[in-house]
C-alpha cells in the first residue's frame, strides 16, 4: 500500500495510481474543508462513510444507465475508478434555493426552484470557483458543445433519480455538484457523490443533514451523514 504512487492530494481525497494504467484509487480522507479550503477539520469516520455512500450512489446510478467511472470499493476508505481526463467544470443543479444562489441573487433559502436551476462553475480554488456559462466553456475549450449538452442531460437525469431516492427516505435533495471526465473519448460521471457535495434536508423538520452542518458549526456532521446513509440503505456500521 505504502509503495503505490501518489498522483494528487486534494482537500477530501488522495488519488493514487491503480494496478492498471487506466485505473485510479481514490482514498477518502477524514479531512473536511469549506470556503475553498479556508476552514479545515478532521472528522472521525468521514472517509469511510463517504466512501461507502459514494459507492452506493455510483452503483445506483450505473444500474439506472448513467455512465460513471466507478469500478469497485477496495477498502474502508478507498475505491477503484477509471482514470478520467477531468473536465474542469462543476455542474450544480438546484431544486431549492440555498448557499451561493441565495447570496448572489438575494433569493430566500428554501424557495422551490421549478424547473431546477443548473449552473456551471470553473473548478479553480484560486479564483474561488467562479460561475461560468456554456459560452465560456466552449470559448476556452474546457469542453465541447456536445459534452456540455451531455453534462447537462446527465446532471438532470441524476437529479431525477436521486430526488426520488432521497424522497423515499424522507429527505429533500436541495442541490448537488457533479464532475465529469472523458474515458477513451466518452463522457463519464467522475469524482464523488456524498453529503460533502450536496445539500439534504429532513423532509419534516427541514434539518440540515449535509456539509452545511460543518460550514455553519452545527455539530453532528458525521452523525448526520450516517443517518442519511442508514435511511437510503448504505451498508455501514452505525
Ligand atoms: P479537490 O481537488 O477539489 O480538492 P478532492 O480532494 O476530492 O478534490 O480530489 C480529488 C480529485 O480527483 C479532484 O480534483 C477530482 O476532479 C479528481 N478526480 C475524481 N475522479 C477522477 C477520475 N476518475 N479520474 C481522474 N481524476 C479524478
Ligand atoms: N459544491 C461542492 N463543491 C464546490 C462547490 C459547491 O460540492 O466546490 C456543492 C455544495 O456542497 C452544494 C452545491 O454544490 O451542495 C451548491 O453549492 P453553492 O454554489 O451553493 O456553494 P456554497 O455556498 O455551498 O459554497
Amino acid at each position: 500500500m505504502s509503495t503505490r504512487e501518489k498522483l494528487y492530494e486534494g482537500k477530501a481525497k488522495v488519488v493514487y495510481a491503480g494496478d492498471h494504467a487506466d485505473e485510479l484509487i481514490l482514498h477518502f480522507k477524514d479531512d473536511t474543508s469549506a470556503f475553498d479550503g479556508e476552514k479545515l477539520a478532521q472528522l472521525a469516520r468521514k472517509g469511510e462513510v463517504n466512501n461507502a455512500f459514494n459507492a452506493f450512489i455510483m452503483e445506483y446510478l450505473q444500474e439506472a444507465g448513467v455512465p460513471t467511472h466507478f469500478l469497485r470499493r477496495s477498502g474502508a476508505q478507498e475505491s477503484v475508478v477509471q482514470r478520467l481526463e477531468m473536465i474542469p467544470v462543476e455542474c450544480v443543479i438546484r431544486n431549492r434555493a440555498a448557499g451561493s444562489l441565495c447570496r448572489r441573487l438575494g433569493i430566500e433559502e428554501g424557495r422551490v426552484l421549478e424547473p431546477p436551476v443548473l449552473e456551471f462553475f470553473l473548478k479553480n480554488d484560486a479564483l474561488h470557483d467562479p460561475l461560468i456559462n456554456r459560452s465560456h466553456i466552449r470559448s476556452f475549450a474546457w469542453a465541447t458543445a456536445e459534452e456540455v449538452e451531455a453534462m447537462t442531460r446527465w446532471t438532470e437525469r441524476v437529479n431525477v433519480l436521486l430526488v426520488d431516492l432521497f424522497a423515499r427516505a424522507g429527505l429533500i435533495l436541495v442541490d448537488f455538484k457533479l464532475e465529469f471526465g472523458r474515458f477513451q473519448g466518452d463522457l463519464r460521471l467522475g469524482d464523488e457523490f456524498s453529503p460533502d457535495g450536496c445539500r439534504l434536508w429532513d423532509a419534516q423538520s427541514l434539518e440540515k443533514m449535509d456539509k452545511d452542518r460543518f460550514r455553519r458549526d452545527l455539530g453532528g456532521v458525521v452523525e448526520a451523514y450516517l443517518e442519511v446513509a442508514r435511511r437510503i440503505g448504505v451498508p455501514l456500521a452505525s
Side-chain angles (χ1 to χ4, degrees):
M1 297 285 265
S2 56
T3 57
R4 61 194 182 177
E5 189 191 356
K6 187 189 209 179
L7 301 176
Y8 173 80
E9 177 153 5
K11 298 182 294 296
K13 299 190 282 302
V14 185
V15 181
Y16 295 98
D19 292 338
H20 303 282
D22 57 0
E23 294 180 359
L24 295 175
I25 298 164
L26 300 183
H27 174 93
F28 289 72
K29 303 197 288 185
D30 285 342
D31 298 8
T32 302
S33 72
F35 313 121
D36 299 319
E38 275 170 32
K39 178 170 177 172
L40 297 166
Q42 285 249 318
L43 298 174
R45 289 195 73 195
K46 199 206 63 149
E48 172 206 346
V49 173
N50 278 8
N51 185 40
F53 200 104
N54 175 63
F56 181 91
I57 297 286
M58 287 284 173
E59 282 174 353
Y60 181 82
L61 295 175
Q62 193 96 45
E63 275 169 33
V66 181
T68 87
H69 67 159
F70 186 80
L71 294 172
R72 63 191 169 275
R73 207 146 65 104
S74 51
Q77 288 184 230
E78 44 185 66
S79 288
V80 182
V81 299
Q82 290 171 323
R83 184 194 286 247
L84 304 185
E85 182 194 339
M86 295 304 289
I87 294 171
V89 172
E90 300 189 336
C91 302
V92 168
I93 193 159
R94 305 174 183 274
N95 299 300
R96 300 256 195 154
S100 72
L101 180 87
C102 297
R103 295 194 295 275
R104 199 178 335 114
L105 300 179
I107 308 289
E108 77 279 15
E109 184 180 72
R111 177 155 154 191
V112 175
L113 305 171
E114 182 52 52
V117 170
L118 189 110
E119 295 174 334
F120 300 112
F121 296 88
L122 180 64
K123 195 173 156 58
N124 185 322
D125 278 344
L127 298 177
H128 305 291
D129 293 355
L131 182 72
I132 53 174
N133 63 28
R134 281 157 202 264
S135 175
H136 295 109
I137 298 175
R138 294 197 49 196
S139 289
F140 297 112
W142 291 317
T144 66
E146 293 72 29
E147 287 170 335
V148 174
E149 286 319 305
M151 290 195 294
T152 301
R153 211 180 54 241
W154 285 123
T155 302
E156 289 172 347
R157 177 73 185 135
V158 168
N159 190 42
V160 168
L161 291 165
L162 296 187
V163 162
D164 176 64
L165 174 77
F166 288 113
R168 284 186 271 123
L171 294 160
I172 298 170
L173 180 58
V174 171
D175 60 29
F176 61 87
K177 181 266 298 179
L178 298 179
E179 291 181 30
F180 293 86
R182 307 174 187 101
F183 184 76
Q184 295 167 1
D186 291 336
L187 195 79
R188 293 242 192 297
L189 176 59
D191 204 46
E192 68 176 279
F193 188 102
S194 74
D196 271 359
C198 69
R199 288 192 168 92
L200 289 160
W201 296 350
D202 180 85
Q204 297 299 318
S205 66
L206 301 184
E207 190 188 350
K208 298 182 196 308
M209 313 277 286
D210 53 66
K211 199 159 91 173
D212 272 348
R213 299 201 69 83
F214 174 69
R215 293 189 189 95
R216 299 181 179 211
D217 295 320
L218 298 175
V221 181
V222 175
E223 290 77 3
Y225 289 19
L226 273 167
E227 169 63 10
V228 173
R230 188 191 63 76
R231 287 204 210 173
I232 62 171
V234 179
L236 261 169
S238 52

